[in-house]
Amino acid sequence: MSKSGVSVAPECISTYNELKLGKSIKYIIYKLSDDYKEIVVEDKSDEADWETFQSKLMNAKASYKGKEGKGPRYAVYDFEYELEAGEGKRSKIAFISWSPDEGTLVFPRMTYASSKEALKNALPGLAAEVQANRDDEIEYATIMKDVTRGRR
């Protein structure tokens, strides 16, 4: 359980294990349930289409007390890339925390921030973590730089 009292739904872990072990899932998008009590799977895909993934994050919505704003999200993406000098392919699973700076309601943003560690701790084997708050920080090239270094 997180500092905010939010729990991680079992499906979050089982879906992550499918991605990690089966390699049939390319990404998972997580969100807080409508009552802000549990982290749940919002979407998953076996397609490696970054633009679709990015669009889903950037267009996510969150509501609180009748108001709606941009929605923070957590995501896990299985990156595959070629090493320089022809040393072969690598794969890294990255945890992405998307929380737009503008247009996000305060309560959802704060609840996502205080619940992140609970989800991360439930997902063993993450190779990189990315915190993105602006549109340019969720671009493929920007994130790939961080993934290949394992940080941000």
Side-chain angles (χ1 to χ4, degrees):
M1 184 157 310
S2 70
K3 293 176 187 176
S4 63
V6 172
S7 62
V8 178
E11 71 169 324
C12 295
I13 299 163
S14 62
T15 305
Y16 173 73
N17 286 334
E18 271 184 68
L19 177 144
K20 185 178 166 189
L21 304 174
K23 297 292 183 180
S24 60
I25 298 173
K26 192 65 179 169
Y27 66 80
I28 306 164
I29 298 174
Y30 301 96
K31 71 172 208 155
L32 288 172
S33 59
D34 292 341
D35 62 3
Y36 290 91
K37 294 189 185 294
E38 187 174 49
I39 299 170
V40 297
V41 172
E42 180 179 46
D43 195 13
K44 65 181 179 178
S45 178
D46 58 357
E47 296 294 321
D49 181 358
W50 181 262
E51 288 76 25
T52 300
F53 169 75
Q54 178 185 32
S55 175
K56 287 179 181 187
L57 289 180
M58 293 174 72
N59 292 311
K61 301 287 182 202
S63 58
Y64 182 68
K65 292 189 175 181
K67 295 181 181 176
E68 186 174 84
K70 289 184 177 181
R73 291 294 185 269
Y74 312 114
V76 173
Y77 196 97
D78 187 7
F79 285 90
E80 288 185 21
Y81 58 95
E82 292 281 339
L83 291 173
E84 293 179 22
E87 296 175 18
K89 275 190 169 187
R90 293 289 187 267
S91 176
K92 284 191 178 180
I93 299 172
F95 181 86
I96 301 168
S97 180
W98 169 245
S99 187
D101 279 338
E102 295 182 19
T104 306
L105 300 173
V106 173
F107 182 80
R109 186 179 174 111
M110 298 310 288
T111 307
Y112 270 84
S114 61
S115 304
K116 177 174 78 170
E117 290 301 317
L119 180 58
K120 276 181 37 189
N121 292 337
L123 308 177
L126 296 169
E129 179 183 350
V130 176
Q131 173 68 47
N133 302 95
R134 297 186 321 263
D135 293 355
D136 64 322
E137 293 176 335
I138 201 78
E139 293 293 331
Y140 184 82
T142 303
I143 290 186
M144 184 55 88
K145 279 185 202 173
D146 295 329
V147 167
T148 56
R149 282 189 237 129
R151 63 175 193 266
R152 185 165 74 116

